[in-house]
Amino acid sequence: MNGRFLGWPRLLARLSAMACAVALLGPAPSSVAQQDDDGIISSYKDRRNRGAEPEYRRNTAGDFDYYALVLSWSPTHCSGPAGADDDMQCNRQDGKRYSFIVHGLWPQYQRGWPENCNRTGSSFIPEQLIDRTLDIMPSKKLIIHEYRKHGTCSGLSPFAYFEFLRKEFSEITIPDKYNNPFESQFVAPGELVNDFLGVNPDLKRDMLAVSCGGAGNRLKEIHICLTKSGQPTACGGNENAQRMCKASAMFIPPARSSRVGAETSEARDKAMPKSPLPMPRVIPWGD
Ligand code: U2P
């Protein structure tokens, strides 16, 4: 029989089968979540801290998948606008210089992360704990903020969290060329990862991620991923390549004790390797 001439009962049966198929297949392709430019599904991004995890898990102290130990390149922070308000780190009177400092130890879900968790016990950070953490996290405001936002989600007390953070940081060897360099450097993100792998035999390539940004693609941070007990482990979706540094070369400003005399274009020219290939365009920042 020709399909165009179905009897009423068969037509109704076909229509209801089609309705079931639509319900099972879900919404039309036009409403499927789109991948946006930083690599996160946009509908997921909007709810990454609110809805990415099931309700019972969300922002529950101690319930997360891995840690990111985040090391910040202090000279980049100090050469940006935030550095102007941060004399302890960026405008030292005692000549002390910072290179990689600890930004935080972040409990992460495979995608997204918990923050500001409720935990039993006080979240007050005693002054003496702040004072003895300043050598690796040189900002009182940062120490308090990081514990409230991330430390509470570790499930650890302030003492235990900062002790763990210090231990994990001390187990990472910083390659020599990133220890208080006097000169500007241009380094590809992959080269920085190789430098770390070279002096940290327990790390593998997928356990590290590099972020950059701002004028001349400055090195901002590296994430080193750890299990809950502090063993190096593969990073998760938060360190997805799309979200990290995509530049072919990063500008790494030198370590300085004060903002005065921020790197000049001559220093950058000196550091720029001579190559017949086009180099990244460096937009001067404050000189
Ligand atoms: O990226 C902007 C800020 O979001 C928080 N962040 C980012 C990525 C990630 O994987 N986990 C995470 O917590 C950081 O917030 P902060 O600790 O600085 O307040 C990051 O700086």
Side-chain angles (χ1 to χ4, degrees):
M1 187 168 56
N2 186 322
R4 280 189 291 157
F5 299 107
L6 297 172
W8 275 110
R10 292 190 67 182
L11 184 61
L12 283 173
R14 283 219 175 162
L15 284 173
S16 70
M18 279 164 69
C20 285
V22 167
L24 284 173
L25 287 172
S30 61
S31 62
V32 166
Q34 297 294 308
Q35 190 86 6
D36 66 11
D37 57 4
D38 70 0
I40 304 174
I41 308 277
S42 26
S43 59
Y44 159 73
K45 183 181 179 183
D46 296 336
R47 60 196 167 90
R48 61 186 163 190
N49 297 316
R50 286 172 282 119
E53 290 298 309
E55 185 76 50
Y56 69 85
R57 191 177 198 211
R58 221 177 297 156
N59 300 330
T60 303
D63 190 354
F64 60 95
D65 298 320
Y66 67 101
Y67 279 115
L69 174 64
V70 182
L71 308 184
S72 158
W73 185 251
S74 175
T76 295
H77 164 77
C78 292
S79 63
D85 293 333
D86 194 350
D87 279 358
M88 182 180 282
Q89 185 177 168
C90 306
N91 201 11
R92 306 278 313 189
Q93 302 306 304
D94 58 2
K96 183 162 176 48
R97 303 184 301 139
Y98 293 102
S99 320
F100 274 117
I101 57 130
V102 179
H103 178 162
L105 178 67
W106 299 345
Q108 306 277 62
Y109 299 132
Q110 280 304 329
R111 304 182 78 193
W113 57 87
E115 50 186 48
N116 302 317
C117 298
N118 278 324
R119 55 172 291 277
T120 45
S122 170
S123 294
F124 177 77
I125 308 175
E127 207 64 37
Q128 83 204 87
L129 179 55
I130 294 176
D131 286 348
R132 70 172 201 232
T133 307
L134 286 172
D135 59 332
I136 55 171
M137 284 179 91
S139 156
K140 180 173 175 174
K141 215 162 94 187
L142 177 68
I143 292 172
I144 296 171
H145 166 82
E146 289 296 305
Y147 182 74
R148 298 236 167 99
K149 183 166 175 183
H150 303 282
T152 50
C153 300
S154 67
L156 302 173
S157 69
F159 274 104
Y161 176 76
F162 286 107
E163 192 183 326
F164 184 53
L165 176 154
R166 175 176 295 281
K167 176 175 167 292
E168 294 310 315
F169 181 54
S170 73
E171 285 179 7
I172 302 295
T173 304
I174 305 292
D176 280 349
K177 77 194 228 198
Y178 307 106
N179 270 324
N180 286 341
F182 279 103
E183 302 285 343
S184 303
Q185 302 175 71
F186 285 86
V187 173
E191 184 186 336
L192 186 146
V193 169
N194 286 341
D195 293 337
F196 271 80
L197 297 183
V199 291
N200 292 279
D202 291 347
L203 292 180
K204 296 201 173 61
R205 197 166 297 282
D206 62 356
M207 300 171 175
L208 280 176
V210 182
S211 74
C212 64
N217 292 314
R218 292 177 178 227
L219 167 63
K220 281 177 135 177
E221 300 191 319
I222 59 171
H223 290 207
I224 299 168
C225 299
L226 305 168
T227 62
K228 285 177 159 184
S229 59
Q231 300 310 307
T233 191
C235 295
N238 302 304
E239 287 78 23
N240 160 336
Q242 289 297 314
R243 298 196 62 211
M244 305 312 285
C245 187
K246 293 190 227 104
S248 54
M250 302 178 294
F251 175 55
I252 307 191
R256 297 192 177 278
S257 57
S258 73
R259 285 177 56 80
V260 183
E263 72 280 346
T264 59
S265 36
E266 295 83 70
R268 276 198 298 270
D269 290 347
K270 213 169 132 211
M272 180 92 85
K274 296 270 171 289
S275 162
L277 299 171
M279 292 301 290
R281 198 161 76 92
V282 177
I283 301 154
W285 186 327
D287 60 277

